[in-house]
Amino acid sequence: MIIGEKMKNIVAQYFWLLLFIALTMAAIIRFLGLGQLSLSDHEAENALQSLSMSNGMAVRIGGQTGYVALTSILFSLFESSDFLARFWPALFGTLLVLVPVLYRKHLGEFTITILAFVIAWEPGLVALSRTADGSIMTITALLVSIGFFVTQRMVLSGVLFGLALISSERFWPLFLVIGAAGLIGFFSSRKSEDSTENLFSNFRNAKWSGFVLAAGITILLVSSIMFLYPNGISGLGSSLTGYLASWKKPTGLEIGNFAMVFLVTQFPVLILAIWRLVIGLIERSNITRFLGIWWGLGLVLHLLNPSLEVLSIALINLPAFIFAAIQLVRFFEKLSIRSRFLAAIEACVTIGLLVFSIINFLNMVNYPPMDPTATRDRMLGMVLPLILWIVFTILLGWGWDMVSTRTGLALGLIVLFGYLLGASGWKAAGLGNKPENELFISSGIVIGDNVLLSAVKNVSLWNTGQANGIDISTVGINSQSITWALRNFDRQSSSAAFPINDGASIIVSSTESIFQSQTDYRGQPVVWSKQPALSQMVWQDWIKWFFFRTVPQQSESVLLWVKNDLFPDATNTLQTP
Amino acid sequence: MIEMSDVLSFLSWYITIFVVGLVSLPITFRLFPNLTSKGYALARPLGLLVWGYFFWLLCSLGVLQNDTGGVVFALLLLVGLSIWCSMNGRWQKLTTWVKQNKKTLITMEVLFFIAFGLWTIVRAANPDVVYTEKPMELAFINAILKSPSFPPNDPWLSGYAISYYYFGYVMVSMLIRVSGVTSAIGFNLSAALWFALTALATYGIVFDMLSTWKLRIHSDGFDRYKLARNGAFLGPFFVLIVSCLEGLLEFLYSWQVFWKINSEGILTSRFWTWLSVSELELPPTTPVSFFPNRPANWLWWRGTRVIQDLTLTNQKIEVIAEFPFATYLLSDLHPHLLGMPFVLLAVGICLNLFLNPEDNIFFTGSIKNLIKRWDYWFIALTLGSLAFINTWDFPIYVGLFCLTGTYLRIRKFGWNLTRGWEFVKTGVVIGLTGIFLFLPFYLGFSSQAGGILPSMEYITRGIHFWILFGALLIPIGIWLIYQLIRSRNLREFLGGLRFAFILFGVLLLASLLFGVLILETGQISSQLVSSGKEWLIPIGLKLSGAYQAFTSLHGSTDSGLIVTQSLLRRLLSPGTWITLLLILAAVWSLLINKKDKSTQLQISNQNIEVMEITGTLSIKIFVFLLMLVGVALTAVPEFFYLRDNFGWRMNTIFKFYFQAWVLWGIVAAYASVELFTRLKGFMKWLFNGIWIIIILAGLAYPVVMLWDKTNGFKPPEWTLDGNAYMARYYQDDYAAIQWLDKQPLGIIAEAVGPSYSFDNHARVSTRTGMPTVLNWPGHEGQWRGSYKEVGSREAEIKTLYTSNDWTEVEGLINKYDIRYIYFGDLEKNFYKTDGELLRSNLPVIYQNSSVTIFEAAAQKSEGLP
């Protein structure tokens, strides 16, 4: 029995069902506990713009007009929340699973199905989909736009292109590399006899007027929320300038650390993608050339940009996911089974011995043995299972059936890698035990919101009878996440220094601010956010992170000051405003 | 030498303007089909203008944000417009044309780059944004950059928008935004960029005029535009480099020519006394020197103040008479400087109109047909923008446009009243469209113009007029004489003379009658005020105000005395009006000469002939029209001037003469090229000799003053940063301002000082763009036409710093919504206070050894930032 054929038949028969399953999985992992974590500084910056818009306040909109405008509609219809702030990215991230369908003709149903599952669980894409910014909206909209363009549905293509353009600054590098790869593909495909693979053959005959008009109208309507906020139109320019400005804003992420994150988070996909790239180039495939240029250019463009960040990995690796899916299909096509029993035995042995070896390896990393005997035992515990696995596989293939053994080996590895992908995706969604240890985060994960808000609300209730009635001031802090967390307090202000006379009832200050009236207030430090300290990581830390998600951390703290007379033991109480 | 960061800033500006020019080329290609250069040299100003217009308008309407994103969006709109202009096969035509005109385009690019580069070096040698009106301009730029929306905040009068023609500053701020340089660097780069834009535009116009000469070519492969390409260099040379003859006077003064020691051992001179140029009429105090070195604070200043008005009691009144080189040397980013490339764009539009006499729709078509033409909107936009960049230029170039069109109609159909009506109608329609396009500006603008007044005893002395314009008038004069001789028609010249006499006579009579009328309003106004009728009282008060202003300026209420003096002075100093009268007579007679003779002249040593084809209007006609407008601009202030806060002719002379220089500079360039190519034999040598002498005299000013202004190109520091001097001499202020600049926008309080303060008043608001409660109150009054808005702010800020009553201070903080109170050495010394009250009541948000910044109020967030 040839497994590839069998799987192809299953996919052909249940194509839409499989896609639905992938979509459901994607939706679950993207929407589950979406509002659990408070917005980080990076996320809050965008969400606050949406909130101001929905409140009808004057606001300066940055380069993510699409996201801000659409989110502001949600905030207008419902109450602002962390969930709603992340709603559109999660939705677009979920729909990304379906995007490959537009390229059915070029990739085939089997590849599309596998790609859909990869997209559903890929940790980088999952993390982007749960981040309150427009990056994933841009990715989805642009890829859909290209898909419609390829199928000559120019108006739809224009609409999605317009949406991609205004959704985030990440549009520009993505468009640049796809455009460059497309142009190279377009010019080089003339010489190629294989015109069926040319994604850009429609370029010349395209009805550009419909495309331009649709894109223009989309930009106007969405970015201005149907002209209610006309200044949102500036966002288009802001996204370009935001991207250009990123070349002058170093994030401090070293390329070495970036490379390590790249390797540990993309481990199985990376191997498959490189494998496919090499084979495709040997086969002189147009699609491989196009995807390869896209991948290479994207990687170079991001590495050169000093504002490099971990979340860019998903953006860079979009072609790698396609490569991996294609390679898996090719892989399955070559697998066949003569004895199911043999294959199952080999698969189980592969999984069992590899897991055993890994456990010993981790044990050694986590608890380095103190004496030579223990070290030797651990080394043996790590190496012997691997030797046993190799010997067992060779003997099984030689003595019984090589074809079934090979299939069993492959299935064992696929199960392991699949588990790895699933677990990574789950944890990248922040659903693991230690979300603050995840590498796919844009800025520190907020962990102090509960402590801060419960304290503030309690004081407010004691003194005003309302949870958000008290006056609160931030001093010397420029934290968007704190502003977001305190958004429901009616009497909120900010200043650069502590007031001399009439200070607010509650003050949240930076740890560096000098407070001259400490005797009037009681204070408490609050750890506000945490994130991995990549610069402090040594090689063992990367392994630990890979398996246990433990990592050196850096945190940001604030000081919460409450006036002495507002506590229950004090005699005075404030008047309700 | 110049820092690498400055070089990069220069390159970023160069690339930006190059891209803007490139993007705009398809537009100029369509807009200027009749120009040989297709408006290539005007593409940059046009691109800046359209880009700026999109940005400003959409910001004013709340569609765009005043940020870099908005600026880039507006640029994308320009790109879209350009793509539209390239459609329907025009792109192919454009690329073909570019290939065919490579030499011309490369020449223009080289000229632009050199002009931009050289003037950047000049700015880097004297970059300080201090003194004169530079602080005002930097304050406007920073305020525009900081304002969340348009109209931008007035940096020196919190709570109000800028009441000034600020479009030029919007364009500068856009370039600053997209290039990412600081405003203080952008300030100096703007001066250099505008110099280069002006040079390129002037070159382009002169090139387009010269390239209309039909060349009969006798050899294959001859470059038909070589003559135009080379000759056009005289355009920027005359407009931008050649200067008034005051530089020559400085040399003569330095050599102590015409000075004699009298019997009392004192140096005296009848020549210098007669010349009556301030400072130069005083005996030299330094030994004879080849290079001018008389002790003066600003040696270069004198050249711009040659012309002086005299009151009835012979008191001198300062009149500004700038010319482009002095303007760029000073590099105040004043509207007349910022307007230069755009007035040349307007001249280009007029030239394009002139070169297609068959296209009469602007003068004959219905309004409905007019507004259907896309080029009509561009023309209206260009002319309308002049009112927003430098209001004075607006009527001048609308006038030139109408004059050009009407003249073409007269040539074709002859003169009758219809032509007059067409002139007026086109002027009104295009003028109103221009105003309509910039309507949001007018809604918030209060003009200081207070009507027209007669210029009675104020006249420009002939010698002063010739010191100012001599370097242009001599080549022009010789050319006019040459044209008159060629026309061989004395009768028409006499006719022109008669016309000029009548016109001047009418103007003089009208001026005198108007003056007498005003002098008589003293009685009328008091009767109106005392009439008791409510509607008459305001008129009476207005008249009374005009009467008092007029009589106090003249120092007499005696109309007889004033009229007598007016006539007497014109008779005793007839140089200016006789000059203008003769020019007018010559130009008029040449304009009405209908015989446009075909001529053929051999250019020496070249195997080509220059000829003008019979039946085609000679480009000379257009040159005559430019000349005529120049005559009007210089003649009108002899009889009338615009009343402003100053009360005398200062601004009228300044703005009108400046434009006359631009137009006559173009004429002088054209005239020189024609005379160089046409004259032969002795006449050629004679003209060349005179030309060289007068040009050397005209170059004395640039040589001496450039050296003086840049301290012999030995600045304390080579930099483009206009604030670098603060970092050198006011370190604490500089550091504090740098810090404050990064804080959220808020109203600031700082010491209120007079205009042009030498004590560095307004230093904080100027450099942060944050509005201060008040500064430069004199200027605020000028811009708004009254001091109503200024009110008691000056005294209240003094109270804020000096009061011992916190309640009073707190009241003022709340009244003006002050957020930051700046307390530096200036405040300490100016108000003689130690700031203890502020210190004990307000939190300190910044402090260094001599500056403390207090935060007066926390940002109220209403739930959100």
Side-chain angles (χ1 to χ4, degrees):
Chain A
M1 181 183 66
I2 297 171
I3 289 184
E5 285 298 315
K6 178 94 176 164
M7 290 178 88
K8 262 190 181 174
N9 290 337
I10 293 170
V11 167
Q13 200 172 349
Y14 301 107
F15 178 64
W16 290 109
L17 178 66
L18 289 167
L19 279 185
F20 178 73
I21 293 168
L23 186 73
T24 309
M25 284 177 159
I28 289 169
I29 200 171
R30 280 157 178 81
F31 281 98
L32 194 67
L34 191 61
Q36 201 173 302
L37 295 172
S38 186
L39 298 187
S40 65
D41 278 339
H42 169 74
E43 294 175 296
E45 192 178 338
N46 300 319
L48 285 169
Q49 291 172 24
S50 302
L51 188 56
S52 300
M53 261 182 146
S54 66
N55 289 342
M57 293 165 61
V59 59
R60 184 160 287 212
I61 299 164
Q64 306 212 348
T65 332
Y67 165 79
V68 171
L70 291 175
T71 305
S72 76
I73 295 172
L74 293 180
F75 286 173
S76 302
L77 295 174
F78 312 100
E79 200 174 340
S80 64
S81 68
D82 299 303
F83 178 86
L84 289 180
R86 294 184 179 121
F87 176 81
W88 289 113
L91 184 67
F92 274 78
T94 304
L95 294 175
L96 185 63
V97 167
L98 298 178
V99 173
V101 176
L102 291 167
Y103 303 90
R104 203 168 166 181
K105 193 175 138 192
H106 304 92
L107 297 173
E109 286 183 347
F110 196 6
T111 308
I112 286 169
T113 310
I114 290 177
L115 186 55
F117 281 96
V118 170
I119 291 171
W121 288 97
E122 204 288 316
L125 291 173
V126 169
L128 263 188
S129 305
R130 294 174 64 99
T131 303
D133 87 349
S135 300
I136 196 74
M137 294 167 68
T138 286
I139 292 172
T140 306
L142 186 61
L143 294 179
V144 174
S145 168
I146 295 170
F148 282 139
F149 178 82
V150 168
T151 52
Q152 285 289 289
R153 279 173 280 182
M154 298 305 286
V155 172
L156 284 173
S157 177
V159 169
L160 271 299
F161 185 84
L163 191 60
L165 189 55
I166 55 175
S167 288
S168 115
E169 299 92 339
R170 290 184 196 270
F171 168 84
W172 300 101
L174 190 61
F175 179 68
L176 208 64
V177 291
I178 295 178
L183 281 176
I184 295 168
F186 175 65
F187 287 114
S188 61
S189 68
R190 285 185 199 166
K191 295 167 194 166
S192 168
E193 291 174 6
D194 183 13
S195 59
T196 55
E197 281 193 61
N198 181 16
L199 286 169
F200 292 86
S201 58
N202 296 325
F203 198 80
R204 281 184 175 170
N205 305 323
K207 289 174 183 168
W208 288 103
S209 54
F211 177 89
V212 171
L213 202 64
I217 291 171
T218 306
I219 290 167
L220 284 179
L221 291 182
V222 176
S223 59
S224 66
I225 323 182
M226 304 288 181
F227 297 110
L228 287 174
Y229 247 93
N231 68 335
I233 292 168
S234 288
L236 173 60
S238 299
S239 88
L240 177 57
T241 53
Y243 174 64
L244 294 175
S246 72
W247 287 84
K248 288 196 332 192
K249 285 182 191 164
T251 50
L253 176 62
E254 290 172 14
I255 289 185
N257 288 326
F258 179 82
M260 282 308 296
V261 178
F262 197 86
L263 285 174
V264 297
T265 59
Q266 305 290 297
F267 162 60
V269 168
L270 213 53
I271 292 170
L272 290 169
I274 294 169
W275 192 351
R276 181 64 228 156
L277 176 66
V278 173
I279 293 171
L281 288 176
I282 293 167
E283 290 172 353
R284 299 191 171 202
S285 153
N286 274 348
I287 284 188
T288 304
R289 189 169 54 228
F290 166 67
L291 291 173
I293 294 167
W294 173 2
W295 194 18
L297 280 179
L299 189 62
V300 171
L301 196 67
H302 281 87
L303 288 178
L304 290 177
N305 192 325
S307 67
L308 185 68
E309 55 179 338
V310 173
L311 276 176
S312 306
I313 289 173
L315 201 75
I316 295 168
N317 268 354
L318 287 170
F321 305 145
I322 305 170
F323 275 143
I326 296 172
Q327 187 53 35
L328 273 175
V329 168
R330 297 289 163 91
F331 196 54
F332 283 127
E333 280 172 351
K334 287 176 186 170
L335 294 179
S336 59
I337 292 180
R338 286 180 193 153
S339 163
R340 288 184 182 178
F341 178 72
L342 267 185
I345 290 285
E346 171 62 22
C348 289
V349 167
T350 301
I351 293 167
L353 292 176
L354 279 181
V355 169
F356 189 74
S357 174
I358 289 167
I359 288 170
N360 277 296
F361 172 69
L362 292 174
N363 205 348
M364 200 167 73
V365 172
N366 277 332
Y367 309 104
M370 304 302 289
D371 61 288
T373 315
T375 307
R376 187 200 61 197
D377 291 349
R378 293 273 172 80
M379 288 293 285
L380 285 173
M382 189 179 71
V383 176
L384 275 181
L386 290 177
I387 294 169
L388 191 63
W389 172 51
I390 293 164
V391 170
F392 181 86
T393 304
I394 291 169
L395 288 176
L396 204 66
W398 192 29
W400 279 266
D401 178 15
M402 187 56 84
V403 173
S404 300
T405 306
R406 197 174 60 191
T407 303
L409 174 69
L411 289 175
L413 290 174
I414 287 168
V415 169
L416 273 180
F417 287 164
Y419 170 76
L420 199 63
L421 182 69
S424 298
W426 183 263
K427 288 171 185 168
L431 299 170
N433 294 330
K434 297 166 187 165
E436 68 273 20
N437 286 359
E438 285 305 315
L439 298 178
F440 280 116
I441 52 175
S442 52
S443 51
I445 294 282
V446 174
I447 57 167
D449 53 326
N450 286 334
V451 176
L452 184 86
L453 286 178
S454 61
V456 171
K457 282 177 182 172
N458 283 339
V459 174
S460 182
L461 276 170
W462 292 331
N463 292 280
T464 67
Q466 293 173 11
N468 57 356
I470 203 156
D471 58 316
I472 186 163
S473 177
T474 55
V475 173
I477 287 180
N478 185 23
S479 167
Q480 302 291 318
S481 56
I482 291 179
T483 311
W484 170 259
L486 300 174
R487 67 190 180 280
N488 291 325
F489 286 85
D490 300 330
R491 293 192 292 157
Q492 194 201 133
S493 62
S494 65
S495 59
F498 280 104
I500 292 211
N501 297 324
D502 295 326
S505 302
I506 297 177
I507 290 174
V508 181
S509 75
S510 69
T511 48
E512 291 85 28
S513 299
I514 300 162
F515 199 3
Q516 293 159 345
S517 313
Q518 284 189 18
T519 49
D520 299 335
Y521 287 81
R522 292 184 202 175
Q524 146 186 19
V526 175
V527 179
W528 180 251
S529 66
K530 278 187 174 178
Q531 68 183 108
L534 294 180
S535 57
Q536 296 170 23
M537 286 173 80
V538 292
W539 70 271
Q540 292 99 327
D541 292 324
W542 292 104
I543 296 164
K544 284 182 191 173
W545 180 87
F546 190 77
F547 291 103
F548 300 113
R549 293 297 194 269
T550 57
V551 70
Q553 283 184 324
Q554 60 193 42
S555 61
E556 194 183 334
S557 296
V558 293
L559 295 174
L560 173 65
W561 301 93
V562 180
K563 271 188 177 169
N564 283 330
D565 53 7
L566 300 183
F567 287 93
D569 52 358
T571 49
N572 298 336
T573 51
L574 288 181
Q575 294 298 310
T576 305
Chain B
M1 271 302 276
I2 297 174
E3 299 265 332
M4 183 47 78
S5 61
D6 285 335
V7 175
L8 291 176
S9 299
F10 165 79
L11 286 175
S12 71
W13 275 56
Y14 176 74
I15 291 166
T16 306
I17 198 68
F18 182 79
V19 169
V20 169
L22 214 58
V23 168
S24 311
L25 187 57
I27 305 173
T28 57
F29 194 76
R30 253 188 107 171
L31 188 63
F32 299 106
N34 309 316
L35 303 187
T36 312
S37 74
K38 306 295 177 203
Y40 184 90
L42 303 170
R44 279 157 218 208
L46 182 80
L48 260 182
L49 176 66
V50 177
W51 178 25
Y53 179 69
F54 282 147
F55 176 64
W56 167 81
L57 184 70
L58 294 176
C59 267
S60 299
L61 296 176
V63 174
L64 287 185
Q65 294 176 159
N66 178 23
D67 59 9
T68 316
V71 173
V72 171
F73 186 89
L75 186 61
L76 292 176
L77 290 179
L78 177 69
V79 171
L81 187 66
S82 179
I83 291 170
W84 178 72
C85 286
S86 311
M87 283 156 66
N88 298 329
R90 290 190 201 93
W91 178 253
Q92 280 77 11
K93 283 184 191 166
L94 175 62
T95 48
T96 309
W97 175 84
V98 168
K99 282 175 196 160
Q100 289 167 350
N101 291 274
K102 273 184 296 201
K103 279 186 187 171
T104 305
L105 304 189
I106 290 169
T107 308
M108 289 184 181
E109 283 305 324
V110 170
L111 170 72
F112 181 83
F113 189 82
I114 290 173
F116 189 21
L118 282 180
W119 214 257
T120 301
I121 292 170
V122 171
R123 290 310 308 146
N126 69 123
D128 303 348
V129 181
V130 66
Y131 308 134
T132 60
E133 286 183 320
K134 285 190 179 73
M136 161 192 144
E137 290 133 9
L138 184 63
F140 280 163
I141 292 167
N142 279 325
I144 289 168
L145 287 168
K146 274 274 163 68
S147 295
S149 58
F150 282 173
N153 297 324
D154 186 328
W156 291 341
L157 194 71
S158 63
Y160 288 88
I162 292 176
S163 178
Y164 198 66
Y165 19 97
Y166 64 85
F167 191 45
Y169 306 109
V170 172
M171 290 187 272
V172 171
S173 73
M174 287 163 55
L175 290 167
I176 287 170
R177 275 198 196 283
V178 290
S179 63
V181 304
T182 65
S183 57
I185 291 175
F187 186 96
N188 285 313
L189 281 171
S190 303
L193 178 64
W194 256 251
F195 180 82
L197 288 173
T198 305
L200 182 62
T202 320
Y203 178 92
I205 286 167
V206 178
F207 170 83
D208 285 325
M209 295 198 308
L210 294 175
S211 63
T212 60
W213 289 2
K214 307 291 182 218
L215 304 181
R216 182 170 293 168
I217 301 160
H218 295 309
S219 59
D220 291 336
F222 181 77
D223 181 358
R224 61 162 52 253
Y225 296 129
K226 189 177 176 185
L227 177 68
R229 217 163 35 234
N230 293 339
F233 280 107
L234 286 181
F237 179 69
F238 270 106
V239 171
L240 282 172
I241 308 296
V242 172
S243 300
C244 81
L245 303 179
E246 196 269 344
L248 175 68
L249 295 179
E250 291 285 355
F251 272 101
L252 297 178
Y253 185 83
S254 189
W255 299 338
Q256 298 190 3
V257 177
F258 302 124
W259 287 102
K260 285 180 185 170
I261 300 174
N262 67 9
S263 54
E264 294 166 4
I266 298 168
L267 280 169
T268 57
S269 169
R270 289 175 65 186
F271 171 78
W272 293 104
T273 309
W274 167 76
L275 206 58
S276 188
V277 173
S278 292
E279 295 175 7
L280 298 185
E281 58 193 343
L282 302 172
T285 54
T286 48
V288 173
S289 147
F290 173 76
F291 209 72
N293 63 349
R294 68 184 172 84
N297 280 337
W298 294 339
L299 193 65
W300 45 271
W301 183 259
R302 188 46 45 206
T304 65
R305 300 295 187 276
V306 169
I307 292 171
Q308 286 139 6
D309 281 348
L310 293 175
T311 64
L312 289 174
T313 52
N314 283 336
Q315 296 294 313
K316 282 183 178 174
I317 305 177
E318 188 176 76
V319 173
I320 305 171
E322 268 188 36
F323 45 95
F325 184 85
T327 299
Y328 280 104
L329 185 68
L330 173 59
S331 279
D332 276 11
L333 287 186
H334 224 56
H336 66 291
L337 180 152
L338 293 175
M340 283 189 82
F342 305 98
V343 300
L344 291 162
L345 181 62
V347 173
I349 285 173
C350 297
L351 179 59
N352 185 64
L353 175 76
F354 178 82
L355 291 172
N356 185 13
E358 299 309 313
D359 188 1
N360 291 319
I361 194 158
F362 294 114
F363 294 85
T364 58
S366 66
I367 294 174
K368 196 176 159 190
N369 286 336
L370 264 185
I371 60 174
K372 280 182 187 167
R373 282 185 59 144
W374 74 280
D375 53 347
Y376 168 77
W377 292 100
F378 267 97
I379 292 166
L381 180 75
T382 304
L383 296 173
S385 75
L386 297 180
F388 194 11
I389 299 171
N390 187 28
T391 307
W392 296 74
D393 299 342
F394 178 54
I396 297 171
Y397 290 94
V398 170
L400 178 64
F401 181 80
C402 296
L403 185 67
T404 308
T406 307
Y407 181 80
L408 294 173
R409 303 271 300 155
I410 292 171
R411 284 294 283 219
K412 199 167 180 181
F413 302 107
W415 165 255
N416 59 37
L417 277 179
T418 312
R419 301 291 91 77
W421 165 240
E422 285 168 359
F423 179 93
V424 173
K425 188 193 81 174
T426 307
V428 169
V429 170
I430 215 153
L432 286 178
T433 311
I435 290 169
F436 168 75
L437 288 171
F438 291 90
L439 201 58
F441 160 64
Y442 295 98
L443 296 177
F445 177 64
S446 47
S447 171
Q448 57 171 301
I452 291 171
L453 285 177
S455 180
M456 304 284 279
E457 75 274 27
Y458 301 130
I459 59 155
T460 301
R461 283 183 64 204
I463 185 62
H464 292 164
F465 190 79
W466 276 88
I467 291 172
L468 184 64
F469 288 113
L472 304 181
L473 286 180
I474 288 174
I476 291 174
I478 296 171
W479 178 70
L480 283 176
I481 293 166
Y482 174 77
Q483 299 298 334
L484 287 171
I485 292 169
R486 270 189 64 206
S487 73
R488 295 170 195 271
N489 199 333
L490 186 63
R491 188 184 291 174
E492 280 183 351
F493 177 68
L494 291 175
L497 210 54
R498 190 173 61 230
F499 166 76
F501 260 116
I502 292 169
L503 187 66
F504 276 43
V506 169
L507 284 171
L508 178 63
L509 202 62
S511 169
L512 294 178
L513 279 174
F514 191 15
V516 171
L517 199 65
I518 292 175
L519 289 167
E520 295 305 320
T521 53
Q523 283 187 342
I524 299 168
S525 61
S526 57
Q527 283 170 5
L528 290 176
V529 171
S530 58
S531 66
K533 291 183 180 169
E534 274 187 26
W535 63 278
L536 283 176
I537 293 172
I539 300 171
L541 290 172
K542 278 263 180 197
L543 283 176
S544 169
Y547 168 77
Q548 280 169 10
F550 194 67
T551 50
S552 67
L553 185 70
H554 288 270
S556 170
T557 55
D558 184 348
S559 57
L561 176 69
I562 294 174
V563 170
T564 309
Q565 277 297 318
S566 178
L567 289 170
L568 205 59
R569 284 186 179 183
R570 282 179 167 82
L571 285 174
L572 293 174
S573 302
T576 302
W577 67 263
I578 287 179
T579 303
L580 292 172
L581 187 126
L582 289 172
I583 293 173
L584 178 61
V587 171
W588 188 259
S589 65
L590 290 164
L591 270 175
I592 59 169
N593 180 5
K594 289 185 181 173
K595 283 173 277 179
D596 195 15
K597 290 174 187 170
S598 169
T599 56
Q600 293 187 11
L601 282 167
Q602 195 79 28
I603 295 179
S604 57
N605 303 325
Q606 290 187 28
N607 199 17
I608 58 166
E609 291 171 5
V610 179
M611 59 172 290
E612 294 156 24
I613 308 295
T614 310
T616 305
L617 274 182
S618 165
I619 193 67
K620 273 186 304 197
I621 301 290
F622 185 70
V623 182
F624 292 146
L625 293 177
L626 296 183
M627 199 60 219
L628 198 63
V629 175
V631 170
L633 291 171
T634 45
V636 165
E638 294 299 293
F639 306 103
F640 299 99
Y641 65 95
L642 202 72
R643 185 187 164 203
D644 54 18
N645 279 19
F646 296 98
W648 65 96
R649 300 196 306 166
M650 184 173 80
N651 266 326
T652 309
I653 290 279
F654 171 28
K655 303 282 184 173
F656 278 21
Y657 277 24
F658 193 81
Q659 294 310 317
W661 186 287
V662 173
L663 297 177
W664 284 356
I666 294 169
V667 175
Y670 177 89
S672 299
V673 176
E674 184 172 346
L675 291 172
F676 281 138
T677 35
R678 287 190 189 279
L679 290 177
K680 285 187 290 185
F682 172 73
M683 292 305 288
K684 183 182 179 75
W685 285 107
L686 182 65
F687 172 72
N688 288 359
I690 295 170
W691 194 88
I692 288 168
I693 290 167
I694 194 64
I695 291 305
L696 284 176
L699 290 178
Y701 183 91
V703 171
V704 174
M705 305 311 168
L706 199 56
W707 195 256
D708 179 68
K709 186 86 166 55
T710 59
N711 192 29
F713 283 95
K714 288 178 197 140
E717 184 183 356
W718 281 96
T719 176
L720 284 170
D721 184 359
N723 288 339
Y725 81 98
M726 280 201 81
R728 274 198 307 277
Y729 305 121
Y730 306 93
Q731 289 96 339
D732 287 344
D733 273 332
Y734 182 73
I737 289 168
Q738 293 282 95
W739 180 86
L740 188 60
D741 191 34
K742 293 184 179 71
Q743 303 312 305
L745 183 67
I747 293 167
I748 55 175
E750 63 177 318
V752 181
S755 302
Y756 312 107
S757 166
F758 279 75
D759 293 325
N760 219 5
H761 282 94
R763 65 210 185 285
V764 188
S765 47
T766 297
R767 280 157 190 89
T768 60
M770 293 193 193
T772 189
V773 178
L774 176 70
N775 241 305
W776 287 41
H779 269 64
E780 282 294 345
Q782 274 178 49
W783 298 334
R784 294 171 192 281
S786 80
Y787 289 85
K788 192 177 71 185
E789 292 88 349
V790 170
S792 56
R793 289 184 181 218
E794 188 167 2
E796 285 173 330
I797 290 301
K798 187 178 179 185
T799 306
L800 180 93
Y801 280 102
T802 55
S803 174
N804 293 320
D805 179 0
W806 174 244
T807 317
E808 187 180 26
V809 171
E810 200 174 26
L812 291 172
I813 288 171
N814 292 332
K815 180 179 177 184
Y816 292 111
D817 200 17
I818 296 166
R819 180 161 188 188
Y820 305 108
I821 299 179
Y822 191 95
F823 191 81
D825 279 342
L826 179 64
E827 284 71 23
K828 190 176 173 182
N829 299 326
F830 193 68
Y831 293 124
K832 297 184 174 45
T833 173
D834 57 4
E836 198 44 51
L837 187 72
L838 297 174
R839 215 175 293 278
S840 55
N841 286 284
L842 291 173
V844 174
I845 52 171
Y846 177 88
Q847 192 158 30
N848 62 31
S849 57
S850 66
V851 177
T852 305
I853 302 175
F854 302 99
E855 189 176 34
Q859 185 191 12
K860 293 177 185 66
S861 63
E862 295 174 17
L864 275 176

